Amino acid sequence: MEGIITQAFQAQPHAKRLNLFERYLTLWVGLGMVGGVLLGQWAPAAVQELRSLEFGEGSHVNAPIAVLIWLMIIPMMMKVDLPSLRNVGRRPQGLLITLFVNWVVKPLSMAFVAWLFFRVLFAAWIVPSEADQYIAGSIILAAAPCTAMVFVWSHLTDGDPAYTLVQVSINDLIMLVLFAPLVGVLVAGASALSVPFPVLFYSVIAFIVIPLLLGTVIRQWLIAQRGRIWFEQSLLPRFAPLTMTALLTTLVLIFAFQADNIIDKTWHVALIAIPILIQVYFNASLAYGLMKWRKVPHSVAAPGALIGASNFFELAVATAIALFGPESGAALATVVGVLVEVPVMLSVCSVCNRTRHWFPAEEPA
């Protein structure tokens, strides 16, 4: 991982740095997983008490985890600049490629790859009921395009920040409409599980609609009070430690809830990572290749490839928990997505930086 980070930095004209949480996110995630498993083994009574705190009996929405996820998502939604959508027509080719990969190729390819690996290639190690859970978690992960960390990845490749913002804003709005039906149809088609659409609908309301509305209102009010420069350069960076702390605490709780399951199935974590890695690199390569074919400028092509590769793992974790419970295999699959996110995305950044000469030299207007 250190070598990938060094390459990503050296390949750019100006050194750009992740903060401590972002640079070593994979390490923190790994420690959170280990800490959660140890907590589940050493304090089972306390963990059971936390697990029982739900928003309504049988809802699968764990109250502590829901609060933590809101702490993660709302600051991210505050970055979404809805007025930027008026610039959508400035560079339509890059945007159309991004949307095609995100909403057509990515969910369909993940459904197929997950089915192939968990139902066929890994059938000797994973029973059908577990395979269904892992397929569902993988599909949920792929159906949620990245909305937050992609700003970091775009920054590391000299991506056009305004265009990245447009891509993210449009993805958030599309998620309001397509996320629930995509997840429901693909999970039912690729596994033996049936998705309760009311629960999925409520998940979209709780973890997309409400945070987006709150983030937009807070953003507009604070910018009106203190100005855009203060909001973007002073306030938003202060949320990074809170967001990462909430993420890591969420992972500790999830792995505490799954402690017994994980100890018995440590091998499954490695198996789950394989199809996720294949699917991520496939979509990043496809988006980047299409951008090159259409002669899209590098400052647009690199963020497009990165958005195609990364996931809104906070939403994915929340949805998997709401649908199947925090101790489910689906929740575990989404958490594995978090584990592989940083090293994978840094490697994609490195490739984008080293292939800058593939693209037109001129910057978009």
Side-chain angles (χ1 to χ4, degrees), residues 21-259:
F21 282 102
E22 293 164 345
R23 185 175 185 183
Y24 297 106
L25 180 58
T26 296
L27 173 62
W28 308 138
V29 169
L31 292 176
M33 293 167 61
V34 173
V37 172
L38 293 177
L39 179 63
Q41 291 292 295
W42 293 344
V47 169
Q48 182 57 40
E49 184 66 26
L50 289 171
R51 182 187 297 173
S52 66
L53 299 176
E54 293 186 348
F55 287 128
E57 185 176 354
S59 69
H60 294 307
V61 181
N62 182 263
I65 289 179
V67 171
L68 290 166
I69 287 173
W70 270 46
L71 291 176
M72 286 187 278
I73 294 178
I74 291 178
M76 296 173 187
M77 293 302 189
M78 288 168 61
K79 297 180 179 180
V80 176
D81 183 22
L82 295 181
S84 68
L85 296 179
R86 64 176 176 266
N87 299 320
V88 69
R90 290 174 56 198
R91 291 179 286 272
Q93 284 196 89
L95 178 62
L96 291 174
I97 291 171
T98 300
L99 294 179
F100 170 70
V101 172
N102 273 196
W103 294 105
V104 178
V105 177
K106 190 174 181 180
L108 293 175
S109 65
M110 187 73 261
F112 172 73
V113 170
W115 173 85
L116 176 64
F117 276 83
F118 296 130
R119 277 292 195 176
V120 181
L121 301 180
F122 294 161
W125 302 292
I126 298 176
V127 300
S129 60
E130 294 169 336
D132 286 338
Q133 286 285 323
Y134 300 155
I135 291 170
S138 300
I139 290 172
I140 292 169
L141 189 68
C146 187
T147 66
M149 287 294 287
V150 73
F151 289 106
V152 176
W153 313 134
S154 178
H155 175 69
L156 291 178
T157 58
D158 286 322
D160 183 343
Y163 187 78
T164 303
L165 191 59
V166 169
Q167 290 177 306
V168 168
S169 299
I170 291 178
N171 267 331
D172 280 339
L173 295 180
I174 292 176
M175 271 194 287
L176 298 177
V177 179
L178 290 186
F179 180 74
L182 264 179
V183 169
V185 170
L186 291 178
V187 169
S191 72
L193 298 176
S194 60
V195 176
F197 274 93
V199 177
L200 188 54
F201 174 77
Y202 293 137
S203 297
V204 172
I205 297 296
F207 299 118
I208 301 180
V209 177
I210 293 177
L212 181 59
L213 290 176
L214 287 176
T216 301
V217 170
I218 294 171
R219 174 189 177 87
Q220 296 303 320
W221 184 77
L222 289 176
I223 288 177
Q225 295 294 314
R226 300 291 297 273
R228 182 182 294 271
I229 294 177
W230 173 84
F231 178 80
E232 294 182 348
Q233 298 183 11
S234 180
L235 180 65
L236 284 181
R238 298 178 188 174
F239 284 106
L242 172 64
T243 300
M244 289 298 131
T245 300
L247 169 64
L248 296 176
T249 306
T250 301
L251 298 183
V252 169
L253 289 181
I254 291 173
F255 277 84
F257 296 161
Q258 299 200 31

